[in-house]
Amino acid sequence: MLWKSRCARRCLQTLVCSLTLLLLVGCPQPAEQTPDGKPKKFRIGMSQCNLGEPWRVQMNADIKAAAEAHADLIEVVFKDAQNDTLTQQRHVEEFISDRMDLIIISPKEAMPLTEPVGRAIDAGIPVIVLDRAIVGDKYTCFIGANNKQIGHAAGRWLASRFPPPQEVKIVELKGLMTSTPGQDRHSGFREAIRDEPRLQVIFEAEMNWLGPNARKEMESALARFERIDAVYAHNDPGAYGAYLAAKAVGREKQIVFIGIDALPHEGQAYVRQGVLDATFEYPTGGKEAIETALKILNRQEVPKKIELKSRLFTKENIDRGGQLLD
Ligand code: FRU
């Protein structure tokens, strides 16, 4: 009898302890209170590499919208490095010395941002790396689409758009090659066309993600080559810049233009207008970054990598919402 009641008491104690623990970790608990007694919000530092491109403006807007749904729990402090690596390094250091609870970073370049992110981790601050990767695995979670897969799909789409035995003279306008999306969009594309010599890259140049640079590079390509059949640009601003160069010399109708990003008001709109022939969605990951941040702050396990899905948009499928890459 005595044994039974002891056992029941112990069970009850365990149950109460577990429930208390569950309550404590069940929802994010900011550690302190403000002087007026209100619970202190978690502060998240968001380091954006630049806001000069529509896609990055969209990323920040997605983060802001997702964070606003949890305004009682988190506050996001945004910093814009204006496309300057040193400034972005400084921003991460500032977030560390300001003792942010978590950092989200979309780094301009892989190598130079690796160390600052590592220092944040050493300081006990979790870091979510968004869209462009860093070197190694000293971060908490990476969120982004598979750029190699997108590049590969662009190559296969081009091969099917020009069935054999047609020859295809291609211009490749590359993003910043010290960033991982530039490297992966390039290598994925080249792998996809490697075994088909009829698909030939006749001109390649770095346009560093910027439309005006792409336009200039395309002007050189047009001046050098009488025949260009396709342009593969690593983003939609680049593809549009190339289109403008071709249009200026009346050659845009002879060329197929492919871009990446597929924002509704940018790439998708270009496809509807017949400016681009194809664009691949590159989700910003803003919403997922906030969802993941909440889990981390809540001390829940998160995967090391969250891969976002991409879709292909062409004139044929755009009204059906594009086609998912598998
Ligand atoms: C914006 C951007 C996008 C591109 C992404 C790659 O800065 O160039 O157009 O898809 O960065 O990181």
Side-chain angles (χ1 to χ4, degrees):
M1 198 58 186
L2 187 68
W3 179 87
K4 265 195 185 161
S5 74
R6 253 199 218 141
C7 177
R9 197 176 321 137
R10 212 168 286 150
C11 285
L12 196 68
Q13 276 170 349
T14 317
L15 194 71
V16 170
C17 281
S18 319
L19 277 174
T20 318
L21 201 69
L22 201 71
L23 275 175
L24 280 176
V25 297
C27 44
Q29 297 286 324
E32 300 150 32
Q33 294 194 329
T34 57
D36 54 1
K38 286 195 188 136
K40 206 168 157 200
K41 289 184 194 179
F42 286 115
R43 287 186 315 143
I44 299 177
M46 163 58 194
S47 166
Q48 181 58 274
C49 61
N50 81 78
L51 279 178
E53 295 146 54
W55 188 84
R56 297 208 169 266
V57 174
Q58 187 60 49
M59 183 198 276
N60 274 21
D62 291 345
I63 290 177
K64 194 163 173 270
E68 266 165 14
H70 303 276
D72 51 330
L73 275 177
I74 52 174
E75 175 195 343
V76 183
V77 177
F78 290 89
K79 286 187 196 269
D80 165 18
Q82 302 189 349
N83 228 6
D84 184 64
T85 295
L86 292 178
T87 306
Q88 192 165 30
Q89 289 175 331
R90 204 185 63 236
H91 285 168
V92 178
E93 300 294 349
E94 286 167 4
F95 282 149
I96 299 172
S97 47
D98 288 350
R99 298 291 320 151
M100 287 290 161
D101 296 297
L102 186 141
I103 294 173
I104 302 174
I105 180 170
S106 192
K108 178 178 174 191
E109 294 172 286
M111 194 63 108
L113 271 313
T114 298
E115 254 188 58
V117 167
R119 275 197 287 279
I121 296 289
D122 289 340
I125 303 175
V127 182
I128 297 175
V129 180
L130 203 51
D131 134 64
R132 299 185 186 173
I134 55 168
V135 182
D137 60 2
K138 203 165 168 187
Y139 55 86
T140 312
C141 176
F142 173 80
I143 303 176
N146 184 336
N147 285 295
K148 202 154 177 155
Q149 180 195 39
I150 294 174
H152 197 274
R156 293 323 303 156
W157 184 81
L158 199 56
S160 66
R161 171 68 182 67
F162 294 91
Q166 291 183 72
E167 290 201 342
V168 196
K169 310 266 183 229
I170 305 166
V171 166
E172 181 181 2
L173 296 173
K174 300 184 286 191
L176 185 68
M177 292 306 277
T178 46
S179 72
T180 50
Q183 294 158 4
D184 293 347
R185 290 174 193 186
H186 171 71
S187 65
F189 181 76
R190 292 307 178 99
E191 267 171 36
I193 63 169
R194 195 177 43 203
D195 297 331
E196 285 195 81
R198 66 186 187 88
L199 299 165
Q200 206 192 344
V201 178
I202 55 168
F203 182 95
E204 65 182 292
E206 278 190 47
M207 49 82 181
N208 296 342
W209 307 117
L210 299 172
N213 291 354
R215 185 173 179 161
K216 250 191 224 122
E217 295 298 347
M218 185 66 182
E219 280 164 5
S220 309
L222 288 159
R224 255 178 75 189
F225 297 97
E226 261 176 37
R227 178 175 159 197
I228 295 172
D229 303 305
V231 170
Y232 165 54
H234 287 191
N235 66 357
D236 290 337
Y240 185 62
Y243 170 85
L244 291 179
K247 193 170 156 59
V249 292
R251 287 170 64 179
E252 83 282 7
K253 292 210 170 61
Q254 304 155 18
I255 302 172
V256 162
F257 293 90
I258 308 172
I260 296 170
D261 280 348
L263 289 177
H265 52 283
E266 195 190 34
Q268 288 186 48
Y270 292 150
V271 168
R272 287 185 195 282
Q273 292 156 15
V275 167
L276 297 190
D277 296 272
T279 178
F280 290 84
E281 182 187 20
Y282 191 56
T284 68
K287 180 167 89 44
E288 292 79 0
I290 291 298
E291 284 167 4
T292 308
L294 285 164
K295 283 189 187 149
I296 296 169
L297 293 167
N298 197 15
R299 297 180 204 287
Q300 285 173 17
E301 286 278 319
V302 295
K304 190 80 187 173
K305 186 172 180 181
I306 297 177
E307 194 172 294
L308 306 173
K309 293 248 177 267
S310 170
R311 282 177 294 168
L312 160 68
F313 289 96
T314 62
K315 221 182 182 103
E316 291 74 38
N317 72 21
I318 195 156
D319 289 329
R320 284 181 275 118
Q323 184 198 328
L324 205 65
L325 300 194
D326 43 36

